[in-house]
Amino acid sequence: MAGRESAAGVQRFALVERVKQLSAQHMPGFDQRSWSGLSDGERKRIGSAAIGVSALALVGGNALIGLETFLLVQLALNGGRLRSALEVDPPLLWAMIGAIVVGTVLNLVFGLIALRPHLNWFLSGARLEPGRREAIWKIPLRQVYGTMAAWAISLGLYMLFALLLGRGSGEFLVVSGAFALAAVSSACLTYIFAERAARPLSVMAMRDQPRPEVHYSVRIRMLAVWLVSSAVPMVGLLAVTLGRHLGVLPPTAGTVDWVSVVIALIGLAAGTRVVLLVGSALTDPLDDLSKAMAAVNDGDLTTRVAVYDSSELGVLQYGFNEMVDGLAERERMRDLFARHVGSTVAEQALARGDDEMGGATTPSVGVLFVDIAGSTTLGANLDPESVAGLLNRFFTIVAEVIHEHDGLINKFEGDAALAVFGAPAALDNAAGAALRASRALADRLRAELPIKWGIGVSHGTVFAGDIGAETRYEYTVIGDPVNECSRLSEVAKDAKVPVVASGDAVHAAGAEADNWTRRGVLQLRGRPVETEVFLPAAVAAALDGRTAPTVADLVRGFTRLPRDRRRASRRR
């Protein structure tokens, strides 16, 4: 009857565990969202923002530069009279305004033409086809070409109007030079704005790149700063001076050369704009890296930065992600190492930092051995998956209890486990910790698993260290207490009591010894001396309430020769 109840309990346990497994398999999970997991609405919002930034930059930047260019042309042609800068023939004024408006609109159209195909790809969420990544990298450069073309068309339109109005060649030369310098400034700003507007596309395009390369160096951005803040204003001043010297431009009309003053002010303003833009282009990825570094420093190894820059900063972003991947892999290996040998052993091995085997004789170590009774019957009655689930639950309980009592799981052996207390880290009372752990383990196993087991506890001197070859070794403990606790575990199973401890363990346990009762002495198989046998006081009291087993009862069957065991089995 007891056997049928035990088998039924095991079957119920296996059924419950299987239901848990199926529930876990079908339970919906939430993974960390990546760029590939953006919804259609999110893609549209990002795409709209990209178009808005690009349009605002192209329209606003060109309009401002056009206004500056118009003002400089007027000042240069009237001798620097600031008050007369707007006193121009209305037809010529409208020609200038029309040319600038047309150039601005064309700049916007050309920019959107360069951006639109890749924006459609981004919105569709399609796979990255060959050549797409390189084309996205070239978006800023293509928008620069569009800006230069727009200003060239704008200049041609102005010249056409000026010819119709009968303006002179000197004015053509001045306007052409001014438009050329304006086109350079506008192209630099367009390049920087385009890089920023195309950043979401670059993230998607560079996400699966094996290893990024530098396509547009940071030096290009520095060149843009130099052109806008230094080269264009200085060339403008030199051109005005040369034009006055050659008689193309009238000399300064007043005491203040407002042409030079306005050029200087425009250079300062344009330089400020481009420095802020370039600074943002440089600091944005560095800020991302700084925040990611802080997260990694706090232990979050899932942190990654988006790779979107085609300069040296993109290589740095990619290198950071590779570094974090390496750290995560190292932590995973450390965790696996600790799971195989125990966290304490792993920490000591890593701290030692060498490849040599180590170990030492430890005089006071508690040893606990726990073994499932009737594991052969379990294997015959259950399928392998159910047996594996049962063993995993059994070993989980063992590991949790041993860890709570500062012990170390030295090894799992089939359906048994060996735990040590006091090695490799010393304990004040290793024997007491092992005995307390054995009682707690018996309570947990009795409450949670429908199986029988036997626990043996011993104490003494062992060698604790690495055993094996130089190329493959493991941490283990060797000594008489290990053999003794294994034999005591068999005694516990044969006598159908949960725990049996040796006298050496109880005598060295201090106050914990009060929880144990002596039951006599045994001659354990393979040991030259007799062993005092102790049971938990609660177990001994329960046995005393009925016909108490003698020492002979405890070891009956255990001390038989193997031949006697086979004979008894045949009779059964």
Side-chain angles (χ1 to χ4, degrees), residues 137 206 209-218 221 285-286 289 305-323:
W137 287 334
M206 300 176 71
Q209 188 178 10
R211 182 171 294 277
E213 300 175 356
V214 177
H215 292 270
Y216 300 105
S217 174
V218 174
R221 298 168 187 171
L286 294 178
L289 287 170
V305 295
V307 181
Y308 55 78
D309 203 296
S310 60
S311 70
E312 293 85 351
L313 292 172
V315 177
L316 183 60
Q317 291 169 331
Y318 176 86
F320 175 84
N321 290 339
E322 287 287 291
M323 180 194 72

PDB file of all heavy atoms in Angstrom, residues 137 206 209-218 221 285-286 289 305-323:
ATOM      1  N   TRP A 137      24.436  56.151 -46.657  1.00  0.00           N
ATOM      2  CA  TRP A 137      25.616  56.915 -46.257  1.00  0.00           C
ATOM      3  C   TRP A 137      25.829  58.147 -47.143  1.00  0.00           C
ATOM      4  O   TRP A 137      26.358  59.163 -46.695  1.00  0.00           O
ATOM      5  CB  TRP A 137      26.857  56.029 -46.340  1.00  0.00           C
ATOM      6  CG  TRP A 137      26.934  55.007 -45.267  1.00  0.00           C
ATOM      7  CD1 TRP A 137      26.365  55.065 -44.032  1.00  0.00           C
ATOM      8  CD2 TRP A 137      27.634  53.748 -45.318  1.00  0.00           C
ATOM      9  NE1 TRP A 137      26.650  53.939 -43.320  1.00  0.00           N
ATOM     10  CE2 TRP A 137      27.424  53.113 -44.081  1.00  0.00           C
ATOM     11  CE3 TRP A 137      28.395  53.104 -46.290  1.00  0.00           C
ATOM     12  CZ2 TRP A 137      27.964  51.868 -43.785  1.00  0.00           C
ATOM     13  CZ3 TRP A 137      28.939  51.870 -46.001  1.00  0.00           C
ATOM     14  CH2 TRP A 137      28.722  51.257 -44.769  1.00  0.00           C
ATOM     15  N   MET A 206      22.741  50.285 -40.504  1.00  0.00           N
ATOM     16  CA  MET A 206      24.002  49.832 -39.919  1.00  0.00           C
ATOM     17  C   MET A 206      23.786  48.830 -38.793  1.00  0.00           C
ATOM     18  O   MET A 206      24.760  48.396 -38.170  1.00  0.00           O
ATOM     19  CB  MET A 206      24.787  51.038 -39.397  1.00  0.00           C
ATOM     20  CG  MET A 206      25.118  52.060 -40.474  1.00  0.00           C
ATOM     21  SD  MET A 206      25.937  53.548 -39.846  1.00  0.00           S
ATOM     22  CE  MET A 206      27.547  52.895 -39.434  1.00  0.00           C
ATOM     23  N   GLN A 209      25.427  45.487 -39.661  1.00  0.00           N
ATOM     24  CA  GLN A 209      26.709  45.586 -40.365  1.00  0.00           C
ATOM     25  C   GLN A 209      27.775  44.778 -39.630  1.00  0.00           C
ATOM     26  O   GLN A 209      27.942  44.917 -38.418  1.00  0.00           O
ATOM     27  CB  GLN A 209      27.130  47.050 -40.457  1.00  0.00           C
ATOM     28  CG  GLN A 209      28.340  47.282 -41.337  1.00  0.00           C
ATOM     29  CD  GLN A 209      28.694  48.753 -41.428  1.00  0.00           C
ATOM     30  OE1 GLN A 209      28.146  49.554 -40.686  1.00  0.00           O
ATOM     31  NE2 GLN A 209      29.594  49.104 -42.319  1.00  0.00           N
ATOM     32  N   PRO A 210      28.514  43.909 -40.331  1.00  0.00           N
ATOM     33  CA  PRO A 210      29.522  43.079 -39.648  1.00  0.00           C
ATOM     34  C   PRO A 210      30.554  43.922 -38.914  1.00  0.00           C
ATOM     35  O   PRO A 210      30.862  43.675 -37.763  1.00  0.00           O
ATOM     36  CB  PRO A 210      30.150  42.283 -40.797  1.00  0.00           C
ATOM     37  CG  PRO A 210      29.128  42.306 -41.889  1.00  0.00           C
ATOM     38  CD  PRO A 210      28.424  43.615 -41.758  1.00  0.00           C
ATOM     39  N   ARG A 211      31.110  44.908 -39.568  1.00  0.00           N
ATOM     40  CA  ARG A 211      32.089  45.778 -38.934  1.00  0.00           C
ATOM     41  C   ARG A 211      32.097  47.106 -39.686  1.00  0.00           C
ATOM     42  O   ARG A 211      32.439  47.149 -40.866  1.00  0.00           O
ATOM     43  CB  ARG A 211      33.476  45.151 -38.957  1.00  0.00           C
ATOM     44  CG  ARG A 211      34.539  46.010 -38.256  1.00  0.00           C
ATOM     45  CD  ARG A 211      35.827  45.245 -38.131  1.00  0.00           C
ATOM     46  NE  ARG A 211      35.696  44.111 -37.247  1.00  0.00           N
ATOM     47  CZ  ARG A 211      35.781  44.181 -35.922  1.00  0.00           C
ATOM     48  NH1 ARG A 211      35.977  45.347 -35.333  1.00  0.00           N
ATOM     49  NH2 ARG A 211      35.663  43.101 -35.178  1.00  0.00           N
ATOM     50  N   PRO A 212      31.720  48.205 -39.042  1.00  0.00           N
ATOM     51  CA  PRO A 212      31.634  49.486 -39.749  1.00  0.00           C
ATOM     52  C   PRO A 212      33.007  50.015 -40.150  1.00  0.00           C
ATOM     53  O   PRO A 212      34.016  49.725 -39.505  1.00  0.00           O
ATOM     54  CB  PRO A 212      30.958  50.402 -38.719  1.00  0.00           C
ATOM     55  CG  PRO A 212      31.317  49.814 -37.401  1.00  0.00           C
ATOM     56  CD  PRO A 212      31.391  48.330 -37.616  1.00  0.00           C
ATOM     57  N   GLU A 213      33.008  50.773 -41.219  1.00  0.00           N
ATOM     58  CA  GLU A 213      34.219  51.418 -41.697  1.00  0.00           C
ATOM     59  C   GLU A 213      33.979  52.922 -41.747  1.00  0.00           C
ATOM     60  O   GLU A 213      32.845  53.388 -41.819  1.00  0.00           O
ATOM     61  CB  GLU A 213      34.583  50.893 -43.086  1.00  0.00           C
ATOM     62  CG  GLU A 213      34.844  49.389 -43.123  1.00  0.00           C
ATOM     63  CD  GLU A 213      35.082  48.903 -44.531  1.00  0.00           C
ATOM     64  OE1 GLU A 213      34.958  49.729 -45.469  1.00  0.00           O
ATOM     65  OE2 GLU A 213      35.389  47.704 -44.704  1.00  0.00           O
ATOM     66  N   VAL A 214      35.055  53.661 -41.718  1.00  0.00           N
ATOM     67  CA  VAL A 214      34.969  55.119 -41.789  1.00  0.00           C
ATOM     68  C   VAL A 214      34.739  55.507 -43.239  1.00  0.00           C
ATOM     69  O   VAL A 214      35.584  55.260 -44.111  1.00  0.00           O
ATOM     70  CB  VAL A 214      36.249  55.769 -41.246  1.00  0.00           C
ATOM     71  CG1 VAL A 214      36.161  57.283 -41.412  1.00  0.00           C
ATOM     72  CG2 VAL A 214      36.439  55.407 -39.780  1.00  0.00           C
ATOM     73  N   HIS A 215      33.576  56.088 -43.521  1.00  0.00           N
ATOM     74  CA  HIS A 215      33.262  56.544 -44.874  1.00  0.00           C
ATOM     75  C   HIS A 215      33.360  58.066 -44.978  1.00  0.00           C
ATOM     76  O   HIS A 215      33.837  58.581 -45.983  1.00  0.00           O
ATOM     77  CB  HIS A 215      31.859  56.083 -45.270  1.00  0.00           C
ATOM     78  CG  HIS A 215      31.758  54.596 -45.443  1.00  0.00           C
ATOM     79  ND1 HIS A 215      31.991  53.971 -46.636  1.00  0.00           N
ATOM     80  CD2 HIS A 215      31.454  53.610 -44.559  1.00  0.00           C
ATOM     81  CE1 HIS A 215      31.840  52.658 -46.507  1.00  0.00           C
ATOM     82  NE2 HIS A 215      31.502  52.410 -45.248  1.00  0.00           N
ATOM     83  N   TYR A 216      32.884  58.768 -43.982  1.00  0.00           N
ATOM     84  CA  TYR A 216      32.985  60.225 -43.954  1.00  0.00           C
ATOM     85  C   TYR A 216      33.572  60.616 -42.603  1.00  0.00           C
ATOM     86  O   TYR A 216      32.891  60.596 -41.582  1.00  0.00           O
ATOM     87  CB  TYR A 216      31.617  60.872 -44.171  1.00  0.00           C
ATOM     88  CG  TYR A 216      31.000  60.501 -45.500  1.00  0.00           C
ATOM     89  CD1 TYR A 216      29.955  59.583 -45.564  1.00  0.00           C
ATOM     90  CD2 TYR A 216      31.489  61.040 -46.678  1.00  0.00           C
ATOM     91  CE1 TYR A 216      29.401  59.225 -46.787  1.00  0.00           C
ATOM     92  CE2 TYR A 216      30.935  60.686 -47.909  1.00  0.00           C
ATOM     93  CZ  TYR A 216      29.896  59.776 -47.952  1.00  0.00           C
ATOM     94  OH  TYR A 216      29.360  59.409 -49.154  1.00  0.00           O
ATOM     95  N   SER A 217      34.821  60.982 -42.626  1.00  0.00           N
ATOM     96  CA  SER A 217      35.551  61.209 -41.388  1.00  0.00           C
ATOM     97  C   SER A 217      35.024  62.436 -40.644  1.00  0.00           C
ATOM     98  O   SER A 217      34.358  63.312 -41.220  1.00  0.00           O
ATOM     99  CB  SER A 217      37.044  61.385 -41.697  1.00  0.00           C
ATOM    100  OG  SER A 217      37.760  61.735 -40.545  1.00  0.00           O
ATOM    101  N   VAL A 218      35.341  62.479 -39.367  1.00  0.00           N
ATOM    102  CA  VAL A 218      35.030  63.665 -38.557  1.00  0.00           C
ATOM    103  C   VAL A 218      35.718  64.892 -39.136  1.00  0.00           C
ATOM    104  O   VAL A 218      35.254  66.027 -38.951  1.00  0.00           O
ATOM    105  CB  VAL A 218      35.463  63.417 -37.094  1.00  0.00           C
ATOM    106  CG1 VAL A 218      35.287  64.673 -36.261  1.00  0.00           C
ATOM    107  CG2 VAL A 218      34.654  62.283 -36.486  1.00  0.00           C
ATOM    108  N   ARG A 221      33.499  67.250 -41.042  1.00  0.00           N
ATOM    109  CA  ARG A 221      32.740  68.199 -40.219  1.00  0.00           C
ATOM    110  C   ARG A 221      33.629  69.366 -39.781  1.00  0.00           C
ATOM    111  O   ARG A 221      33.187  70.522 -39.739  1.00  0.00           O
ATOM    112  CB  ARG A 221      32.153  67.486 -39.009  1.00  0.00           C
ATOM    113  CG  ARG A 221      31.168  66.382 -39.387  1.00  0.00           C
ATOM    114  CD  ARG A 221      30.810  65.508 -38.227  1.00  0.00           C
ATOM    115  NE  ARG A 221      29.995  64.371 -38.649  1.00  0.00           N
ATOM    116  CZ  ARG A 221      29.684  63.346 -37.876  1.00  0.00           C
ATOM    117  NH1 ARG A 221      30.114  63.321 -36.628  1.00  0.00           N
ATOM    118  NH2 ARG A 221      28.959  62.350 -38.347  1.00  0.00           N
ATOM    119  N   PRO A 285      26.531  61.295 -30.073  1.00  0.00           N
ATOM    120  CA  PRO A 285      26.984  59.904 -29.882  1.00  0.00           C
ATOM    121  C   PRO A 285      27.844  59.719 -28.649  1.00  0.00           C
ATOM    122  O   PRO A 285      27.787  58.671 -27.998  1.00  0.00           O
ATOM    123  CB  PRO A 285      27.768  59.602 -31.172  1.00  0.00           C
ATOM    124  CG  PRO A 285      28.107  60.913 -31.750  1.00  0.00           C
ATOM    125  CD  PRO A 285      27.012  61.839 -31.348  1.00  0.00           C
ATOM    126  N   LEU A 286      28.618  60.752 -28.299  1.00  0.00           N
ATOM    127  CA  LEU A 286      29.438  60.628 -27.092  1.00  0.00           C
ATOM    128  C   LEU A 286      28.570  60.629 -25.830  1.00  0.00           C
ATOM    129  O   LEU A 286      28.877  59.915 -24.873  1.00  0.00           O
ATOM    130  CB  LEU A 286      30.464  61.770 -27.037  1.00  0.00           C
ATOM    131  CG  LEU A 286      31.521  61.750 -28.143  1.00  0.00           C
ATOM    132  CD1 LEU A 286      32.451  62.954 -27.998  1.00  0.00           C
ATOM    133  CD2 LEU A 286      32.327  60.463 -28.101  1.00  0.00           C
ATOM    134  N   LEU A 289      27.132  57.219 -25.553  1.00  0.00           N
ATOM    135  CA  LEU A 289      28.145  56.298 -25.034  1.00  0.00           C
ATOM    136  C   LEU A 289      28.361  56.501 -23.543  1.00  0.00           C
ATOM    137  O   LEU A 289      28.532  55.537 -22.790  1.00  0.00           O
ATOM    138  CB  LEU A 289      29.464  56.502 -25.783  1.00  0.00           C
ATOM    139  CG  LEU A 289      29.511  55.975 -27.222  1.00  0.00           C
ATOM    140  CD1 LEU A 289      30.776  56.469 -27.918  1.00  0.00           C
ATOM    141  CD2 LEU A 289      29.471  54.458 -27.232  1.00  0.00           C
ATOM    142  N   VAL A 305      24.239  50.824 -27.712  1.00  0.00           N
ATOM    143  CA  VAL A 305      24.039  52.129 -28.336  1.00  0.00           C
ATOM    144  C   VAL A 305      23.732  51.909 -29.809  1.00  0.00           C
ATOM    145  O   VAL A 305      24.194  50.943 -30.424  1.00  0.00           O
ATOM    146  CB  VAL A 305      25.271  53.039 -28.180  1.00  0.00           C
ATOM    147  CG1 VAL A 305      25.501  53.385 -26.724  1.00  0.00           C
ATOM    148  CG2 VAL A 305      26.514  52.394 -28.785  1.00  0.00           C
ATOM    149  N   ALA A 306      22.935  52.801 -30.364  1.00  0.00           N
ATOM    150  CA  ALA A 306      22.615  52.713 -31.784  1.00  0.00           C
ATOM    151  C   ALA A 306      23.821  53.147 -32.607  1.00  0.00           C
ATOM    152  O   ALA A 306      24.469  54.154 -32.306  1.00  0.00           O
ATOM    153  CB  ALA A 306      21.412  53.597 -32.104  1.00  0.00           C
ATOM    154  N   VAL A 307      24.146  52.378 -33.630  1.00  0.00           N
ATOM    155  CA  VAL A 307      25.246  52.718 -34.535  1.00  0.00           C
ATOM    156  C   VAL A 307      24.648  53.454 -35.726  1.00  0.00           C
ATOM    157  O   VAL A 307      23.902  52.874 -36.517  1.00  0.00           O
ATOM    158  CB  VAL A 307      25.988  51.448 -34.997  1.00  0.00           C
ATOM    159  CG1 VAL A 307      27.142  51.824 -35.911  1.00  0.00           C
ATOM    160  CG2 VAL A 307      26.488  50.658 -33.799  1.00  0.00           C
ATOM    161  N   TYR A 308      24.936  54.749 -35.846  1.00  0.00           N
ATOM    162  CA  TYR A 308      24.339  55.538 -36.918  1.00  0.00           C
ATOM    163  C   TYR A 308      25.332  56.469 -37.587  1.00  0.00           C
ATOM    164  O   TYR A 308      24.986  57.156 -38.554  1.00  0.00           O
ATOM    165  CB  TYR A 308      23.165  56.370 -36.382  1.00  0.00           C
ATOM    166  CG  TYR A 308      23.500  57.251 -35.218  1.00  0.00           C
ATOM    167  CD1 TYR A 308      24.162  58.461 -35.380  1.00  0.00           C
ATOM    168  CD2 TYR A 308      23.163  56.877 -33.919  1.00  0.00           C
ATOM    169  CE1 TYR A 308      24.459  59.270 -34.301  1.00  0.00           C
ATOM    170  CE2 TYR A 308      23.450  57.674 -32.832  1.00  0.00           C
ATOM    171  CZ  TYR A 308      24.101  58.873 -33.029  1.00  0.00           C
ATOM    172  OH  TYR A 308      24.409  59.659 -31.950  1.00  0.00           O
ATOM    173  N   ASP A 309      26.550  56.530 -37.126  1.00  0.00           N
ATOM    174  CA  ASP A 309      27.525  57.474 -37.643  1.00  0.00           C
ATOM    175  C   ASP A 309      28.468  56.761 -38.597  1.00  0.00           C
ATOM    176  O   ASP A 309      28.955  55.660 -38.297  1.00  0.00           O
ATOM    177  CB  ASP A 309      28.301  58.105 -36.480  1.00  0.00           C
ATOM    178  CG  ASP A 309      28.906  59.442 -36.864  1.00  0.00           C
ATOM    179  OD1 ASP A 309      29.771  59.437 -37.754  1.00  0.00           O
ATOM    180  OD2 ASP A 309      28.520  60.464 -36.277  1.00  0.00           O
ATOM    181  N   SER A 310      28.741  57.365 -39.740  1.00  0.00           N
ATOM    182  CA  SER A 310      29.654  56.755 -40.712  1.00  0.00           C
ATOM    183  C   SER A 310      31.082  57.259 -40.567  1.00  0.00           C
ATOM    184  O   SER A 310      31.909  57.024 -41.428  1.00  0.00           O
ATOM    185  CB  SER A 310      29.158  57.038 -42.139  1.00  0.00           C
ATOM    186  OG  SER A 310      29.093  58.435 -42.378  1.00  0.00           O
ATOM    187  N   SER A 311      31.347  57.961 -39.453  1.00  0.00           N
ATOM    188  CA  SER A 311      32.702  58.451 -39.186  1.00  0.00           C
ATOM    189  C   SER A 311      33.362  57.572 -38.137  1.00  0.00           C
ATOM    190  O   SER A 311      32.899  56.476 -37.826  1.00  0.00           O
ATOM    191  CB  SER A 311      32.634  59.904 -38.711  1.00  0.00           C
ATOM    192  OG  SER A 311      32.060  59.965 -37.406  1.00  0.00           O
ATOM    193  N   GLU A 312      34.461  58.073 -37.585  1.00  0.00           N
ATOM    194  CA  GLU A 312      35.147  57.338 -36.529  1.00  0.00           C
ATOM    195  C   GLU A 312      34.246  57.107 -35.324  1.00  0.00           C
ATOM    196  O   GLU A 312      34.435  56.136 -34.580  1.00  0.00           O
ATOM    197  CB  GLU A 312      36.406  58.102 -36.094  1.00  0.00           C
ATOM    198  CG  GLU A 312      37.505  58.185 -37.133  1.00  0.00           C
ATOM    199  CD  GLU A 312      37.333  59.330 -38.099  1.00  0.00           C
ATOM    200  OE1 GLU A 312      36.262  59.986 -38.078  1.00  0.00           O
ATOM    201  OE2 GLU A 312      38.248  59.577 -38.891  1.00  0.00           O
ATOM    202  N   LEU A 313      33.248  57.975 -35.143  1.00  0.00           N
ATOM    203  CA  LEU A 313      32.328  57.796 -34.018  1.00  0.00           C
ATOM    204  C   LEU A 313      31.470  56.547 -34.198  1.00  0.00           C
ATOM    205  O   LEU A 313      31.122  55.877 -33.222  1.00  0.00           O
ATOM    206  CB  LEU A 313      31.432  59.025 -33.875  1.00  0.00           C
ATOM    207  CG  LEU A 313      32.147  60.310 -33.441  1.00  0.00           C
ATOM    208  CD1 LEU A 313      31.204  61.493 -33.512  1.00  0.00           C
ATOM    209  CD2 LEU A 313      32.703  60.164 -32.038  1.00  0.00           C
ATOM    210  N   GLY A 314      31.114  56.231 -35.453  1.00  0.00           N
ATOM    211  CA  GLY A 314      30.365  54.999 -35.703  1.00  0.00           C
ATOM    212  C   GLY A 314      31.185  53.770 -35.358  1.00  0.00           C
ATOM    213  O   GLY A 314      30.665  52.791 -34.811  1.00  0.00           O
ATOM    214  N   VAL A 315      32.483  53.802 -35.678  1.00  0.00           N
ATOM    215  CA  VAL A 315      33.363  52.696 -35.293  1.00  0.00           C
ATOM    216  C   VAL A 315      33.437  52.584 -33.777  1.00  0.00           C
ATOM    217  O   VAL A 315      33.460  51.477 -33.220  1.00  0.00           O
ATOM    218  CB  VAL A 315      34.764  52.899 -35.905  1.00  0.00           C
ATOM    219  CG1 VAL A 315      35.722  51.802 -35.457  1.00  0.00           C
ATOM    220  CG2 VAL A 315      34.682  52.931 -37.423  1.00  0.00           C
ATOM    221  N   LEU A 316      33.451  53.737 -33.108  1.00  0.00           N
ATOM    222  CA  LEU A 316      33.473  53.728 -31.642  1.00  0.00           C
ATOM    223  C   LEU A 316      32.174  53.152 -31.080  1.00  0.00           C
ATOM    224  O   LEU A 316      32.200  52.373 -30.115  1.00  0.00           O
ATOM    225  CB  LEU A 316      33.690  55.152 -31.127  1.00  0.00           C
ATOM    226  CG  LEU A 316      33.802  55.338 -29.610  1.00  0.00           C
ATOM    227  CD1 LEU A 316      34.979  54.545 -29.068  1.00  0.00           C
ATOM    228  CD2 LEU A 316      33.941  56.811 -29.256  1.00  0.00           C
ATOM    229  N   GLN A 317      31.023  53.528 -31.663  1.00  0.00           N
ATOM    230  CA  GLN A 317      29.738  52.965 -31.224  1.00  0.00           C
ATOM    231  C   GLN A 317      29.728  51.447 -31.399  1.00  0.00           C
ATOM    232  O   GLN A 317      29.317  50.708 -30.500  1.00  0.00           O
ATOM    233  CB  GLN A 317      28.602  53.606 -32.021  1.00  0.00           C
ATOM    234  CG  GLN A 317      28.355  55.067 -31.708  1.00  0.00           C
ATOM    235  CD  GLN A 317      27.413  55.714 -32.711  1.00  0.00           C
ATOM    236  OE1 GLN A 317      27.345  55.319 -33.871  1.00  0.00           O
ATOM    237  NE2 GLN A 317      26.680  56.730 -32.266  1.00  0.00           N
ATOM    238  N   TYR A 318      30.170  51.004 -32.566  1.00  0.00           N
ATOM    239  CA  TYR A 318      30.204  49.565 -32.817  1.00  0.00           C
ATOM    240  C   TYR A 318      31.166  48.877 -31.842  1.00  0.00           C
ATOM    241  O   TYR A 318      30.856  47.806 -31.296  1.00  0.00           O
ATOM    242  CB  TYR A 318      30.645  49.312 -34.261  1.00  0.00           C
ATOM    243  CG  TYR A 318      30.796  47.858 -34.604  1.00  0.00           C
ATOM    244  CD1 TYR A 318      29.708  47.107 -35.033  1.00  0.00           C
ATOM    245  CD2 TYR A 318      32.030  47.222 -34.521  1.00  0.00           C
ATOM    246  CE1 TYR A 318      29.838  45.774 -35.353  1.00  0.00           C
ATOM    247  CE2 TYR A 318      32.170  45.885 -34.834  1.00  0.00           C
ATOM    248  CZ  TYR A 318      31.080  45.164 -35.254  1.00  0.00           C
ATOM    249  OH  TYR A 318      31.223  43.843 -35.557  1.00  0.00           O
ATOM    250  N   GLY A 319      32.333  49.493 -31.611  1.00  0.00           N
ATOM    251  CA  GLY A 319      33.291  48.902 -30.687  1.00  0.00           C
ATOM    252  C   GLY A 319      32.755  48.817 -29.268  1.00  0.00           C
ATOM    253  O   GLY A 319      33.030  47.842 -28.557  1.00  0.00           O
ATOM    254  N   PHE A 320      31.970  49.810 -28.860  1.00  0.00           N
ATOM    255  CA  PHE A 320      31.366  49.748 -27.526  1.00  0.00           C
ATOM    256  C   PHE A 320      30.426  48.564 -27.421  1.00  0.00           C
ATOM    257  O   PHE A 320      30.446  47.817 -26.438  1.00  0.00           O
ATOM    258  CB  PHE A 320      30.625  51.050 -27.230  1.00  0.00           C
ATOM    259  CG  PHE A 320      29.865  51.032 -25.934  1.00  0.00           C
ATOM    260  CD1 PHE A 320      30.495  51.315 -24.740  1.00  0.00           C
ATOM    261  CD2 PHE A 320      28.514  50.707 -25.913  1.00  0.00           C
ATOM    262  CE1 PHE A 320      29.797  51.296 -23.546  1.00  0.00           C
ATOM    263  CE2 PHE A 320      27.810  50.674 -24.726  1.00  0.00           C
ATOM    264  CZ  PHE A 320      28.456  50.974 -23.534  1.00  0.00           C
ATOM    265  N   ASN A 321      29.573  48.381 -28.434  1.00  0.00           N
ATOM    266  CA  ASN A 321      28.644  47.247 -28.409  1.00  0.00           C
ATOM    267  C   ASN A 321      29.399  45.922 -28.397  1.00  0.00           C
ATOM    268  O   ASN A 321      28.996  44.977 -27.705  1.00  0.00           O
ATOM    269  CB  ASN A 321      27.709  47.316 -29.613  1.00  0.00           C
ATOM    270  CG  ASN A 321      26.717  48.463 -29.523  1.00  0.00           C
ATOM    271  OD1 ASN A 321      26.449  48.972 -28.436  1.00  0.00           O
ATOM    272  ND2 ASN A 321      26.185  48.877 -30.651  1.00  0.00           N
ATOM    273  N   GLU A 322      30.476  45.836 -29.161  1.00  0.00           N
ATOM    274  CA  GLU A 322      31.282  44.622 -29.159  1.00  0.00           C
ATOM    275  C   GLU A 322      31.892  44.387 -27.775  1.00  0.00           C
ATOM    276  O   GLU A 322      31.960  43.244 -27.297  1.00  0.00           O
ATOM    277  CB  GLU A 322      32.390  44.737 -30.208  1.00  0.00           C
ATOM    278  CG  GLU A 322      31.900  44.625 -31.634  1.00  0.00           C
ATOM    279  CD  GLU A 322      31.504  43.193 -31.971  1.00  0.00           C
ATOM    280  OE1 GLU A 322      32.392  42.337 -32.050  1.00  0.00           O
ATOM    281  OE2 GLU A 322      30.290  42.944 -32.127  1.00  0.00           O
ATOM    282  N   MET A 323      32.336  45.465 -27.140  1.00  0.00           N
ATOM    283  CA  MET A 323      32.915  45.345 -25.803  1.00  0.00           C
ATOM    284  C   MET A 323      31.881  44.835 -24.805  1.00  0.00           C
ATOM    285  O   MET A 323      32.168  43.935 -24.004  1.00  0.00           O
ATOM    286  CB  MET A 323      33.463  46.699 -25.347  1.00  0.00           C
ATOM    287  CG  MET A 323      34.091  46.684 -23.955  1.00  0.00           C
ATOM    288  SD  MET A 323      34.363  48.340 -23.300  1.00  0.00           S
ATOM    289  CE  MET A 323      32.670  48.839 -22.954  1.00  0.00           C
TER     290      MET A 323
END
